[in-house]
Amino acid sequence: MNVVAVIPARGGSKSIPFKNIYKINGKPLIEYTIETALKSKKIDKVIVSTDNSNIIKVCSKYKSIMIIRRPEEISQDESSTESCLIHVLHILKKDYKKNPKIILTLEPTSPFRKLETINNTIDFLKNEEIDSVVALKESKECFGYIKNNIFEHFIKNQPRRRQDRKPIYVESSTIYGTLTNTLLKTKSVLGKNPKPIIVDHYESIDINEQIDLIIAESLAKFLKI
């Protein structure tokens, strides 16, 4: 068990109740991530970490995945994803005598990640100079802040035409890849040398609000998945 993919799926969600099993184009949201992860021959075990019986019931039809019940104390709104990952590693070591080298974080709220992105992330982590991988999406938007009721750009003197701007990059929740030693040492999915992997707008979709569900539904039909 050298590479594990963890799908963190809490039952609680304030914005969309039971978001992780909400049906998108007739399929529970979490199933998109499970099915893509299972296609990767580079992943040794796909693991769902959840505190919720309804999510367990949905995922149980996939006989080859492992489901780990997440304790209530790390299933709160303020609980970090890292606490879930570390709990999974603890269970693997304690109950199965397994110590994977690489752990992937696959959020179920990003249903359109590509198999290629998963495999490339794993391949990057075989480079001794890389201790983590982070997905990024490109943006040419003009970001800024409001100070004293005045809007100021983060980047000064940006060209007004979008096509003339240099791209900046935004962290996406599509995928994180981390060496387990790095995760256990830093308590973060990002180490000292995170390798960027650029994903397209489909892959970077992160479902958090009702409007995201509408967009995802349309995309699932368009992509025929």
Side-chain angles (χ1 to χ4, degrees):
M1 197 180 289
N2 190 42
V3 180
V4 296
V6 178
I7 304 172
R10 289 193 312 119
S13 175
K14 290 182 177 179
S15 58
I16 307 170
F18 294 106
K19 173 176 61 178
N20 290 318
I21 53 175
Y22 191 98
K23 288 190 176 180
I24 300 293
N25 201 23
K27 181 191 296 187
L29 180 60
I30 195 171
E31 291 190 15
Y32 288 90
T33 293
I34 291 173
E35 290 177 3
T36 304
L38 288 175
K39 291 176 183 177
S40 175
K41 296 180 180 179
K42 297 176 184 288
I43 295 174
D44 298 308
K45 181 59 69 173
V46 177
I47 301 168
V48 172
S49 169
T50 184
D51 61 321
N52 185 266
S53 297
N54 290 325
I55 294 176
I56 290 174
K57 184 177 179 180
V58 168
C59 297
S60 293
K61 76 176 191 178
Y62 297 94
K63 302 304 180 183
S64 62
I65 72 171
M66 180 185 294
I67 300 173
I68 293 179
R69 173 75 77 161
R70 194 190 311 187
E72 183 179 351
E73 59 267 24
I74 58 170
S75 302
Q76 307 303 310
D77 289 338
E78 64 275 9
S79 300
S80 68
T81 299
E82 283 85 353
S83 65
C84 155
L85 302 176
I86 292 170
H87 174 257
V88 166
L89 292 175
H90 172 72
I91 294 298
L92 290 178
K93 183 175 182 179
K94 180 173 72 74
D95 295 347
Y96 301 95
K97 311 302 182 200
K98 300 295 184 181
N99 293 285
K101 181 180 179 182
I102 293 170
I103 187 165
L104 304 181
T105 308
L106 305 179
E107 296 283 357
T109 49
S110 296
F112 303 129
R113 75 177 58 75
K114 299 173 182 176
L115 176 61
E116 178 185 12
T117 298
I118 292 174
N119 288 337
N120 285 343
T121 296
I122 296 168
D123 288 341
F124 286 146
L125 286 165
K126 294 177 181 177
N127 184 330
E128 293 183 0
E129 297 179 357
I130 300 299
D131 60 7
S132 55
V133 175
V134 57
L136 304 176
K137 59 181 177 180
E138 181 182 292
S139 175
K140 289 189 176 182
E141 296 180 73
C142 288
F143 291 98
Y145 56 90
I146 297 175
K147 183 178 180 181
N148 297 325
N149 209 31
I150 300 296
F151 175 72
E152 295 185 19
H153 291 103
F154 285 134
I155 302 174
K156 303 297 182 182
N157 302 316
Q158 284 200 80
R160 295 309 306 155
R161 296 199 322 156
R162 181 181 181 279
Q163 57 266 41
D164 294 334
R165 299 174 199 150
K166 291 184 179 180
I168 57 177
Y169 297 91
V170 182
E171 190 172 316
S172 166
S173 65
T174 306
I175 191 169
Y176 296 92
T178 317
L179 297 181
T180 53
N181 287 340
T182 296
L183 173 65
L184 293 171
K185 182 178 180 179
T186 65
K187 305 296 188 294
S188 171
V189 292
L190 296 181
K192 293 182 178 180
N193 301 297
K195 167 76 174 179
I197 185 168
I198 312 303
V199 297
D200 60 31
H201 288 288
Y202 294 154
E203 289 189 272
S204 68
I205 283 180
D206 184 20
I207 297 174
N208 288 300
E209 306 295 339
Q210 289 290 339
I211 186 64
D212 300 326
L213 290 174
I214 296 171
I215 294 170
E217 179 84 18
S218 298
L219 273 176
K221 291 177 180 178
F222 175 75
L223 297 172
K224 297 180 181 179
I225 59 176

